[in-house]
């Protein structure tokens, strides 16, 4: 089995994406497991449809490390939903948090989510999400990262292919081409639960202060996050200008 390390980023991404273009989600996961071995991890936010990726991936690799970034501001229902899925799927859960407590952050910077500017939201996301995920990937020795992004969720995600690079790690998106119907059919087929907020009108859920139900005035489901000021929390965005330029100028 060929296993890649951050120093050995020898994949021909164009060829890989052509090979996987028509592959099923399970086949993409199987390819990633074979290619990256113990360097493969996955992440989950335990959001509305989290059970899909968790079930899909653990059916192929039951002991895969599952990174969960606990911001300290998640709704109580999310913590209970995470506990339910962890037990049901016997997840190898790895919980990471910011070294700066919520109380300390608020004392130093105020309630960043209440400020009406993207800079404050980006600072919040870096402290509570981006720094912890980068530390998790480093400590777990991750060379590749499975994530449940879908192309129909944000403008950034429409430009993704099923395999790409973020920094010195590969990113693999098994359900990138799925739509809401595909998700529903998978959940129904395997009798998997939605997050409890789905019944309250939420199509996406994150921290309690930055999520709300979908309304008739919303043009896109991601308008319900971050006061509509942005679509991404930063976990799945390029972390340097060079990465962003490379992403924008390529087919990845």
């Amino acid at each position: 089995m060929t296993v890649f390390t951050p120093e050995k980023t020898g994949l021909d991404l164009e060829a890989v994406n052509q090979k996987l273009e028509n592959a099923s989600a399970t086949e993409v996961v199987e390819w990633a497991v074979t290619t990256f071995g113990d360097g493969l991890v996955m992440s989950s936010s335990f959001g509305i449809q989290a059970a899909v990726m968790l079930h899909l991936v653990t059916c192929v690799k039951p002991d895969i490390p599952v990174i969960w970034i606990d911001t300290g501001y998640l709704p109580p229902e999310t913590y209970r939903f995470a506990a339910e899925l962890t037990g049901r799927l016997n997840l190898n859960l790895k919980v990471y948090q910011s070294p700066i407590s919520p109380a300390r952050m608020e004392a130093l910077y105020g309630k960043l989510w209440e400020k009406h500017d993207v800079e404050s939201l980006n600072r919040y996301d870096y402290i509570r999400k981006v720094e912890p995920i980068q530390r998790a990937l480093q400590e777990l020795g991750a060379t590749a990262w499975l994530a449940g992004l879908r192309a129909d969720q944000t403008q950034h995600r429409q430009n993704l292919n099923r395999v790409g690079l973020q920094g010195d790690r590969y990113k693999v998106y098994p359900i990138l081409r799925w739509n809401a119907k595909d998700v529903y059919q998978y959940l129904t087929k395997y009798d998997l639960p939605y997050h409890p907020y789905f019944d309250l009108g939420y199509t996406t859920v994150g921290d309690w202060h930055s999520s709300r139900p979908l309304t008739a005035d919303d043009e896109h489901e991601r308008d319900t996050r971050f006061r509509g000021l942005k679509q991404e929390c930063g976990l799945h965005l390029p972390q340097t200008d060079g990465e962003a330029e490379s992403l924008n100028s390529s087919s990845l």
Side-chain angles (χ1 to χ4, degrees), residues 86-129:
T86 298
R88 177 170 173 176
L89 301 177
N90 194 28
L91 300 179
N92 180 17
L93 192 64
K94 308 293 184 182
V95 183
Y96 279 79
Q97 295 177 302
S98 171
I100 302 175
S101 70
R104 180 181 173 195
M105 184 189 73
E106 291 181 32
L108 294 175
Y109 306 113
K111 295 181 178 180
L112 291 167
W113 63 89
E114 291 185 349
K115 302 176 188 275
H116 295 275
D117 63 90
V118 173
E119 181 180 358
S120 295
L121 292 178
N122 287 344
R123 171 176 276 184
Y124 175 92
D125 286 337
Y126 180 81
I127 292 172
R128 307 238 64 84
K129 303 175 186 178

Side-chain angles (χ1 to χ4, degrees), residues 44-50 54 66-68 78 81-83 85-86 91 93 195 205:
S44 180
S45 65
F46 290 97
I48 297 295
Q49 302 154 357
L54 291 167
V66 178
I67 301 171
W68 179 30
T78 297
F81 185 54
L85 287 178
T86 298
L91 300 179
L93 192 64
H195 187 290
V205 62

